[in-house]
Amino acid sequence: MIAVLGLVVGVVAGLLVRPEVPAVVEPYLPIAVVAALDAVFGGLRAMLDGIFVDKVFVVSFLSNVVVAALIVFLGDKLGVGAQLSTGVVVVLGIRIFSNAAAIRRHVFRA
Amino acid sequence: MPLANPEPVPEPAPRPEPGPSPVSAGGQVAPGRPAESTAGGTAGAGAQPPQDGPSGWTGAEAPSEPPEPSGRQRLRAGLWPPRITRAQLIVAVLLFGLGLGLAIQVRSTSDNSALRGARQEDLVRILDELDDRTQRLEEEKTRLGAQRAELENSSDQAEEARKQTQEKERQLGILAGTVAAQGPGITVTVTDSAGAVEPDMLLDAIQELRAAGAEAIQVNGVRVVAGTYFSGEAGAIEVDGRKIGAPYRFTVIGRPQDLEPALNIPGGVVQTLEKEQATVTVDRSEKIVVDALRPAERPDYARSSSQ
């Protein structure tokens, strides 16, 4: 419950406060958000499986974000930023879908 | 209290159960997260007991609950009674960050068109395109400006030519008798009481006036032009086929100082007419109006040889 509240508060704060994102971080934000979403879905699935560990969640969340940003950064340096970020989004999207399927199986038993 | 004794025995039983099951579940989860399966086993077990442990008699329900804590039940348990645990707080903090990033990203993409989220090379390309477009438009502007200047110029010229043509038409119209004219001049009145004035005398008067620089002449309402002729006989004179009677009134536009002496020269028009018992009066005026008109006739054969 607290976790859901945290998400809601974050969205509201982002919409209301309208913080300025430094230009250096800006290109990596979308990918980082998708990576974080993947981690959250993985954590939700783990919770439903009864194997949730906060430490693992924190580490996987942060490492997902960092690795995704790193890949995009590297891609930009190599000149294939657009393609690489597309690839990252595709991979993360597939993982999100499979996690969502597992969650669905738990919640709806279908 | 006797019930409390048998309980501890079944309680340990459910504990091992979550242990092995995560291992099998962990195998499905993701190959990338093997650590979670082992860690999850201990954490999953550690998160639940604090609820059941402290209260004495809730343990009575324990035998029914622990056997299959399904995913749905776990979700409900995690959601509804809001408990402040370390895990919840940490996840809340992380999710707060996620929500923040999500909101910022959504806002920035919806905010400033597509440019804000665009990549560097895309921006460079867009900038190049804009530069090209600006250059093209600039060229077009220059071209159109030149065209406009040209058109203005030519329309000025056309206007000037039109004015000149109109002016010329007016001048020629005065000569051809198609427009009215006004200006300084004289009025010559010939009263022919004896009826002895011949047409050729009037023609002489016209010739004399023309020689003296008359620019527009009318006789008794008939405009005198290049093709004007006098016919008939004394008392029944015709000008261009129209009969006119005495007194004969010449309205002449020209320089009065030239016209009057021209008529009055010895042996001139006035003396000739006075010999026929006609009286001639000449009046100078600063404003003579010659308003008898002739229709503009298009010549049948003669054509302008100039363009």
Side-chain angles (χ1 to χ4, degrees), chain A:
Chain A
M1 191 62 193
I2 305 283
V4 176
L5 273 181
L7 180 64
V8 172
V9 169
V11 170
V12 171
L15 288 180
L16 291 186
V17 178
R18 194 194 274 256
E20 268 307 309
V21 187
V24 190
V25 186
E26 221 172 66
Y28 311 119
L29 189 58
I31 290 291
V33 166
V34 176
L37 271 180
D38 171 58
V40 167
F41 272 89
L44 190 59
R45 179 189 180 176
M47 195 196 93
L48 292 177
D49 284 339
I51 53 169
F52 180 80
V53 190
D54 51 358
K55 200 179 92 184
V56 172
F57 177 70
V58 170
V59 170
S60 77
F61 186 98
L62 294 180
S63 73
N64 257 13
V65 169
V66 169
V67 168
L70 201 67
I71 288 176
V72 175
F73 171 76
L74 208 59
D76 273 346
K77 289 294 164 222
L78 293 176
V80 289
Q83 296 89 321
L84 209 51
S85 55
T86 307
V88 170
V89 168
V90 167
V91 169
L92 292 177
I94 290 171
R95 283 175 50 130
I96 289 175
F97 261 104
S98 64
N99 280 337
I103 292 165
R104 185 201 67 217
R105 251 177 258 126
H106 273 297
V107 176
F108 300 110
R109 301 216 173 84

Side-chain angles (χ1 to χ4, degrees), chain B residues 84-159:
Chain B
I84 300 182
T85 62
R86 191 172 67 104
Q88 286 264 2
L89 281 179
I90 289 172
V91 173
V93 169
L94 289 182
L95 284 184
F96 173 81
L98 171 62
L100 201 67
L102 206 63
I104 292 170
Q105 189 54 32
V106 168
R107 176 144 230 161
S108 67
T109 36
S110 61
D111 248 8
N112 295 359
S113 70
L115 288 184
R116 202 176 168 88
R119 321 198 63 74
Q120 199 172 345
E121 55 261 44
D122 291 344
L123 288 175
V124 169
R125 190 174 44 76
I126 292 170
L127 196 62
D128 275 353
E129 280 172 8
L130 280 180
D131 276 349
D132 279 357
R133 188 139 169 260
T134 313
Q135 203 180 333
R136 270 205 313 277
L137 289 178
E138 204 66 44
E139 279 168 12
E140 195 177 342
K141 185 184 154 212
T142 319
R143 195 169 49 75
L144 289 177
Q147 203 175 337
R148 175 168 151 247
E150 199 177 308
L151 284 176
E152 266 175 1
N153 206 4
S154 70
S155 85
D156 277 358
Q157 284 177 356
E159 179 70 14

